[in-house]
Amino acid sequence: MYRILSLDGGGSWAILQLLTLQEKYGDVNGHIILRDFDLVVANSGGSIVLAALCENWKLSKAVGLFEDKENRERIFRKNPIKKMFFPVDYFHRFGLGLGPKYSAEEKRKAFGELFPECERRTMSQLPDFISHPDLNIVVCTYDALNNRAKFFRSYVDPGKDADIVKLTDAIHGSSNAPIQYFDFPAKITAKKADVTYELWDGALGGFNNPVLVGIIEAMKSGIPRNEISVISLGTGNVIMSQKEKKEYSEIKETAQKERGRKFNIKSLKKQFAFFQKSVLQQAKTILYEPPEWANYVAYMFLFSEGAEFDKKRFIRLSPMIHIDKNNDDPKTLDLLHRLYILDMDLTEKEDIDLLKLCFEYWRDGKIKNQPLIYSMKRDNEMIFKKGAEYFRDGLEDWEV
């Protein structure tokens, strides 16, 4: 079998991927895990996990990357006043909650310091460093100048137009979420090709869940689809609760009724609340990219033409942050409500502790796993169809 490891984006939620790997492998060094696969594809937060594995950190140290407040704040470094730019940086200063908060420039510096082995090598040199010369590595980004997805690979054509970059450059572009997070595109120059790229998070190209990239890259290299197996690790998938749906509808209806009252300050506040909620919702939709779509298409790639579904060949592990009538445990409900409002850029210890608690509840079956295929009823009930319904189901099917 040709084995693919796919790592979703998701900011600080990527700690869930490391905890999953730790549950499967124990506290091993990263290279041991990477030598278990033929291809690794990653986006955003998942690409940071990839860098930690390439550094050959023990998984406990990699988990510490997200646990350590100093490290989190080095990646999510807020712009000082002298580097703020008008008007978006000022929105946050006045409590409006719109616009980027962090410095892309400082993030790149942080990656160079955190991952020295990846900083001193190009991506094409990493497989030998990992002692797995045949390993293929792919990092997803978005080319802002050409408005298209851009993938950086460890396996490159040796010709003059080859995009040869460091992994620290690639993950800088891959993790550069726009709109609500980082201020400017990540600027990197590829060797040999001598091309300068301006990059955003790979989610903008539709690859927050990069599983399809891995499968297509394998098929391009001549691997038959029935010889491809995938481990796809997510960072939590949020489905809007009934309460949130109701609140959104109420804000919209109030804004529609009040929009004619141009000189009433209270009315303007309500209209702005709807505008803010709508903008933020759409911004996050762009970044999260419906992962169910990626899983469904990947499933069709691997098991089309009447091929029987082999649950051991496509394992998706990601907790479902979802509330329906089947959630009846008060502690689980409380945790789900608290998880639901968390963003991607978590820098506070209590938020990281919540993610660790999320993993424990998911691991123990109190929070369900994201299936490959499911449907939603009008009352918000999730109907399982294909994949692993619980964390333990997927872990038991995962062969090493």
Side-chain angles (χ1 to χ4, degrees):
M1 279 291 169
Y2 187 88
R3 295 168 56 81
I4 298 171
L5 175 63
S6 176
L7 301 169
D8 282 20
S12 300
W13 289 70
I15 191 175
L16 296 170
Q17 296 172 341
L18 290 166
L19 293 170
T20 299
L21 291 170
Q22 200 170 36
E23 185 73 16
K24 182 63 182 177
Y25 286 90
D27 193 21
V28 300
N29 292 83
H31 288 188
I32 291 175
I33 296 169
L34 293 175
R35 288 198 288 264
D36 231 6
F37 294 91
D38 299 290
L39 184 149
V40 182
V41 58
N43 182 63
S44 198
S47 73
I48 299 175
V49 169
L50 170 62
L53 298 179
C54 289
E55 284 288 309
N56 204 28
W57 289 358
K58 281 189 175 294
L59 289 176
S60 55
K61 181 177 179 179
V63 169
L65 174 66
F66 294 92
E67 290 179 322
D68 186 89
K69 182 178 175 64
E70 182 181 347
N71 285 336
R72 295 194 302 271
E73 291 185 345
R74 287 168 72 185
I75 296 172
F76 295 108
R77 178 69 59 86
K78 290 186 177 180
N79 279 321
I81 291 176
K82 68 178 182 179
K83 288 195 174 182
M84 289 170 58
F85 71 100
F86 185 83
V88 288
D89 270 330
Y90 292 83
F91 288 146
H92 287 285
R93 300 286 174 171
F94 292 103
L96 299 181
L98 292 170
K101 295 172 279 189
Y102 307 112
S103 167
E105 180 182 4
E106 292 298 322
K107 174 164 63 74
R108 178 60 183 88
K109 290 179 184 177
F111 286 154
E113 294 164 357
L114 287 167
F115 306 121
E117 297 294 346
C118 296
E119 176 71 1
R120 66 171 58 104
R121 293 175 173 84
T122 63
M123 285 183 66
S124 59
Q125 294 170 329
L126 285 174
D128 284 337
F129 173 62
I130 295 165
S131 299
H132 186 3
D134 295 328
L135 176 66
N136 292 330
I137 299 171
V138 187
V139 175
C140 304
T141 69
Y142 183 80
D143 181 349
L145 299 181
N146 292 303
N147 290 324
R148 58 183 296 179
K150 173 64 183 174
F151 307 133
F152 291 100
R153 303 170 175 88
S154 61
Y155 45 105
V156 294
D157 189 321
K160 65 178 182 179
D161 295 329
D163 281 325
I164 297 178
V165 302
K166 299 175 182 178
L167 183 61
T168 39
D169 280 328
I171 69 171
H172 177 38
S174 184
S175 63
N176 210 45
I179 305 171
Q180 277 297 100
Y181 305 99
F182 291 96
D183 51 4
F184 292 104
K187 186 175 181 178
I188 72 169
T189 301
K191 296 181 180 178
K192 284 195 176 181
D194 195 28
V195 175
T196 297
Y197 292 99
E198 302 275 352
L199 303 170
W200 290 117
D201 191 306
L204 270 70
F207 297 104
N208 195 54
N209 176 348
V211 63
L212 279 172
V213 178
I215 292 172
I216 292 169
E217 289 291 302
M219 293 176 69
K220 276 171 53 182
S221 66
I223 307 298
R225 73 178 69 190
N226 62 353
E227 293 180 15
I228 296 172
S229 67
V230 179
I231 303 294
S232 174
L233 302 185
T235 55
N237 300 94
V238 178
I239 296 179
M240 188 179 284
S241 67
Q242 289 287 69
K243 179 183 176 183
E244 288 289 328
K245 290 176 182 178
K246 183 179 178 182
E247 288 176 355
Y248 180 83
S249 295
E250 288 174 351
I251 291 173
K252 182 204 72 175
E253 289 169 7
T254 302
Q256 286 177 325
K257 291 176 182 177
E258 301 277 337
R259 61 184 169 181
R261 303 170 66 185
K262 306 300 184 187
F263 301 103
N264 185 307
I265 299 299
K266 290 184 179 179
S267 171
L268 292 177
K269 283 183 178 179
K270 292 173 182 177
Q271 292 177 61
F272 181 78
F274 174 68
F275 169 77
Q276 183 182 28
K277 197 171 188 68
S278 297
V279 169
L280 294 181
Q281 187 180 47
Q282 297 308 312
K284 290 176 182 178
T285 298
I286 293 169
L287 289 172
Y288 287 131
E289 171 261 325
E292 292 79 10
W293 175 86
N295 292 332
Y296 177 75
V297 178
Y299 170 85
M300 293 304 296
F301 258 103
L302 295 179
F303 304 106
S304 63
E305 300 174 356
E308 184 179 352
F309 173 57
D310 181 350
K311 62 182 181 177
K312 293 187 177 183
R313 282 185 51 216
F314 190 4
I315 298 170
R316 171 69 173 176
L317 289 172
S318 186
M320 288 294 284
I321 313 306
H322 170 59
I323 298 170
D324 64 19
K325 65 182 181 181
N326 297 314
N327 300 117
D328 54 10
D329 176 60
K331 289 185 178 179
T332 304
L333 273 172
D334 177 64
L335 175 60
L336 287 169
H337 280 297
R338 294 162 73 189
L339 290 167
Y340 187 82
I341 60 175
L342 292 185
D343 208 336
M344 296 190 300
D345 54 331
L346 306 178
T347 56
E348 299 301 321
K349 181 181 183 301
E350 54 266 31
D351 293 334
I352 300 300
D353 287 342
L354 273 181
L355 294 183
K356 292 164 69 177
L357 189 60
C358 170
F359 175 77
E360 292 175 12
Y361 273 54
W362 174 42
R363 178 196 63 195
D364 297 340
K366 298 175 183 177
I367 293 177
K368 284 192 173 183
N369 185 60
Q370 181 197 15
L372 293 175
I373 303 175
Y374 65 92
S375 62
M376 298 294 298
K377 296 178 70 174
R378 290 185 66 84
D379 61 0
N380 229 38
E381 183 182 1
M382 186 180 78
I383 307 300
F384 169 84
K385 292 185 177 179
K386 294 282 186 182
E389 192 168 6
Y390 293 94
F391 177 89
R392 288 292 175 192
D393 297 337
L395 204 70
E396 288 174 5
D397 292 332
W398 182 345
E399 297 178 342
V400 296

